[in-house]
Amino acid sequence: MYYEIYLDFYFLENLFTDCAMLVLTAEMLRQNWNRKSIFLAGFLESVVSCILLFFSVKNMVLIRSCQTGMAFFMIWMGLGKKKCRDLFLEVSVFYLISFCFGGAVLAVAGAKKLPVFPVKAVLFLILRLALQILWKEKNRQEHIYDAEVFRKGKSSRVKALYDTGNRLREPYQKRPVNIIEYDAVKELLTGDEKIFLIPYRTVNGGGKMFTGLTFDRMRISKGRKTEIYEHPVIALAKEKLSSDDSYQMILHPENRKDQEEKNHV
């Protein structure tokens, strides 16, 4: 019994698989990666694999040694030079992903009697998209804080998004502006507030106005860390700030700097 293997196809499939595993490893570890470095690492490993196949190397010790050595080399070249501890961690993740990926490919291809290469390509795209969605959501959750705003002895608690893209400032003293849903604080308002208008631009470039006022205090918490800001400027938004209601307030990234300047004065 023998198998007919086309060396060029074997090379291309190895190249794709190596590059895919390197990309998934980088995505899993939330690392930046370079296309050229990953391609070169996959290319060299595929060349070595083809050499071993071409010369019909049957010594399993030599084959496993080459595979392990090339795994370290690919991580070192494809994901950047690292310390030994980081390199071993990345190789471990690389092998874990490769093992799970290979098992999933064989299961799908075997059950549906499909060609292996297309299954690899589709599964790679699905896994990469899933990782991107996972990390995006995790990153968003890391930027959501517990917030409590105070006015005239009453308070309201909300979830607040720390938005580094919020550059809104009130036009009079250039103080940073936080934004909160009106419904979240309407119970704190008595009707005698000294309000002012804060102009802002919408996504489509149109100009609108927020109603703004100064609250007595704002407390922001995340885990064991708590920060208190005195007399923060907060704009009232009539519409929902989050489509899924995961937060009701948007924090300005320079609240701390503004508070430090107040304390210094």
Side-chain angles (χ1 to χ4, degrees), residues 178-237:
N178 306 278
I179 308 168
I180 196 169
E181 294 177 6
Y182 170 78
D183 289 341
V185 293
K186 63 183 180 181
E187 299 299 327
L188 308 184
L189 307 179
T190 57
D192 61 347
E193 294 82 15
K194 293 181 179 180
I195 64 172
F196 46 88
L197 297 179
I198 303 171
Y200 72 98
R201 288 198 173 275
T202 59
V203 176
N204 59 17
K208 287 191 175 183
M209 292 284 186
F210 273 133
T211 298
L213 63 150
T214 302
F215 279 67
D216 297 335
R217 191 166 69 256
M218 177 172 67
R219 181 165 58 203
I220 307 298
S221 304
K222 184 76 169 178
R224 296 182 178 180
K225 185 178 180 181
T226 299
E227 294 184 353
I228 297 176
Y229 304 108
E230 300 292 338
H231 309 299
V233 175
I234 300 180
L236 306 179

Side-chain angles (χ1 to χ4, degrees), residues 35-201:
R35 292 181 181 179
K36 291 182 179 179
S37 297
I38 283 184
F39 177 81
L40 183 58
F43 181 87
L44 293 176
E45 195 282 334
S46 298
V47 169
V48 172
S49 295
C50 287
I51 290 174
L52 293 175
L53 179 67
F54 183 78
F55 289 103
S56 300
V57 177
K58 295 183 175 60
N59 188 318
M60 292 305 298
V61 174
L62 177 60
I63 292 174
R64 296 305 181 195
S65 298
C66 288
Q67 289 175 339
T68 303
M70 287 307 300
F72 276 91
F73 176 78
M74 282 196 300
I75 293 295
W76 178 80
M77 174 174 281
L79 302 186
K81 300 176 182 178
K82 301 287 193 310
K83 297 178 180 178
C84 287
R85 184 181 62 180
D86 296 332
L87 187 61
F88 274 95
L89 171 63
E90 291 172 359
V91 170
S92 299
V93 173
F94 176 83
Y95 269 117
L96 177 62
I97 291 175
S98 299
F99 177 78
C100 295
F101 184 83
V105 168
L106 291 176
V108 173
K112 302 296 183 180
K113 296 182 180 179
L114 298 172
V116 172
F117 186 76
V119 173
K120 282 185 178 182
V122 172
L123 188 58
F124 164 69
L125 293 175
I126 292 173
L127 289 175
R128 189 180 174 202
L129 179 61
L131 284 173
Q132 289 175 341
I133 294 173
L134 172 66
W135 294 132
K136 184 177 181 180
E137 178 61 23
K138 184 175 176 59
N139 185 61
R140 191 184 71 150
Q141 290 299 325
E142 289 174 351
H143 285 78
I144 292 181
Y145 292 72
D146 293 314
E148 187 173 8
V149 293
F150 299 82
R151 189 173 189 278
K152 292 190 174 181
K154 296 190 292 184
S155 68
S156 177
R157 295 182 179 182
V158 295
K159 292 291 184 180
L161 175 68
Y162 180 85
D163 184 8
T164 56
N166 179 12
R167 293 290 180 261
L168 187 63
R169 288 180 176 272
E170 48 89 2
Y172 314 103
Q173 299 181 39
K174 305 300 180 184
R175 292 176 295 174
V177 176
N178 306 278
I179 308 168
I180 196 169
E181 294 177 6
Y182 170 78
D183 289 341
V185 293
K186 63 183 180 181
E187 299 299 327
L188 308 184
L189 307 179
T190 57
D192 61 347
E193 294 82 15
K194 293 181 179 180
I195 64 172
F196 46 88
L197 297 179
I198 303 171
Y200 72 98
R201 288 198 173 275

